[in-house]
Amino acid sequence: DTAVSQTPKYLVTQMGNDKSIKCEQNLGHDTMYWYKQDSKKFLKIMFSYNNKELIINETVPNRFSPKSPDKAHLNLHINSLELGDSAVYFCASSLGGSNTQYFGPGTRLTVL
Amino acid sequence: AQSVAQPEDQVNVAEGNPLTVKCTYSVSGNPYLFWYVQYPNRGLQFLLKYITGDNLVKGSYGFEAEFNKSQTSFHLKKPSALVSDSALYFCAVRDIASSASKIIFGSGTRLSIRP
C-alpha cells in the first residue's frame, strides 16, 4: 500500500547509456514532480505535471524527458547519461499545486 | 523570486533539551511554508505546514513551527529532543502570488541529538 513508489531503487550504468526511472502514486493526486538531490543534499525541482500536462520545466538538459501516461504515473527518461547526472532522484505528488507533497523513496543513479 | 535559507548546516542538541532549527524566507506575496524531514536513505517526510491562520503550527512527532511575518521566519522547534529526531531537516516555501506550483527547498540542516 505504498503511497508513492519508484523503480528502480538503485541504478548503476555507464556514461552514454539511456535509462528510465518510473514513478507511481496511489493517492489520487493530480500533480506529480521530479526532484534531483545532489551529493550535498541540495534538492532541486526538475519537472512538474498536473493532470498529465507539464506545468514546471526548470533549466534541465534536453537529455531529460518526463512522460506522464496518466495522472498516477510520471516517468523520467534520461538520454546519453553523464557523470554529473549521478544523484538521487525523487518523485513526489500532491493534490493541487499548493498542497503538501508526498515523496517516493528515491532512486540512486550512479553513472560510471 | 522566492527563496528560503537555512543558516545552519548542523545543529547539535543533547537529548531532552529543546531544539530549534532556523528557517527564513523571501517571497513577493504571502507564503506557504513547509518542514520536511529526511532520514538516511529515505525520501522526504512531511512534518508540518503553514498556510494561514494561527502562527503556531503543530506537526508530527511533537514538532511545531512558528510563522513570524515581520522577521520572515518559520523556525522548527521541539520542547524535548529525542535521539530518534536525528535526521536532515528541510524548510520549503511557495509564493501564493506565483502562478506556478513550485516549492523551493532550503539547503537542509542536519540535526544531531546526542544521548
Side-chain angles (χ1 to χ4, degrees), chain B residues 2-91:
Chain B
Q2 61 202 62
S3 66
V4 60
Q6 293 181 243
E8 302 154 317
D9 288 337
Q10 175 129 0
V11 170
N12 299 309
V13 177
E15 188 175 28
N17 282 1
L19 68 88
T20 299
V21 183
K22 295 180 181 177
C23 172
T24 58
Y25 66 89
S26 174
V27 296
S28 55
N30 290 318
Y32 289 156
L33 293 156
F34 304 83
W35 275 102
Y36 285 84
V37 59
Q38 185 178 25
Y39 297 100
N41 301 313
R42 297 280 190 91
L44 277 71
Q45 294 179 32
F46 169 74
L47 272 181
L48 50 81
K49 67 181 176 184
Y50 171 83
I51 303 294
T52 186
D54 196 348
N55 289 344
L56 184 63
V57 179
K58 292 189 185 296
S60 306
Y61 311 121
F63 283 94
E64 59 188 30
E66 186 164 12
F67 170 61
N68 187 317
K69 189 170 183 178
S70 62
Q71 295 185 5
T72 61
S73 68
F74 190 57
H75 300 332
L76 181 70
K77 300 182 180 186
K78 187 172 181 180
S80 178
L82 299 172
V83 172
S84 58
D85 293 330
S86 299
L88 187 58
Y89 290 79
F90 290 95
C91 182

Side-chain angles (χ1 to χ4, degrees), chain A residues 2 31 40 43 71 76 81 84 90-91 96-97:
Chain A
T2 305
T31 307
K40 294 186 179 177
L43 197 64
K71 283 197 308 183
L76 183 64
L81 278 154
F90 287 102
C91 177

Side-chain angles (χ1 to χ4, degrees), chain A residues 87-108:
Chain A
V88 181
Y89 292 84
F90 287 102
C91 177
S93 72
S94 69
L95 190 61
S98 61
N99 284 329
T100 304
Q101 294 184 17
Y102 292 85
F103 283 76
T107 295
R108 184 175 294 276

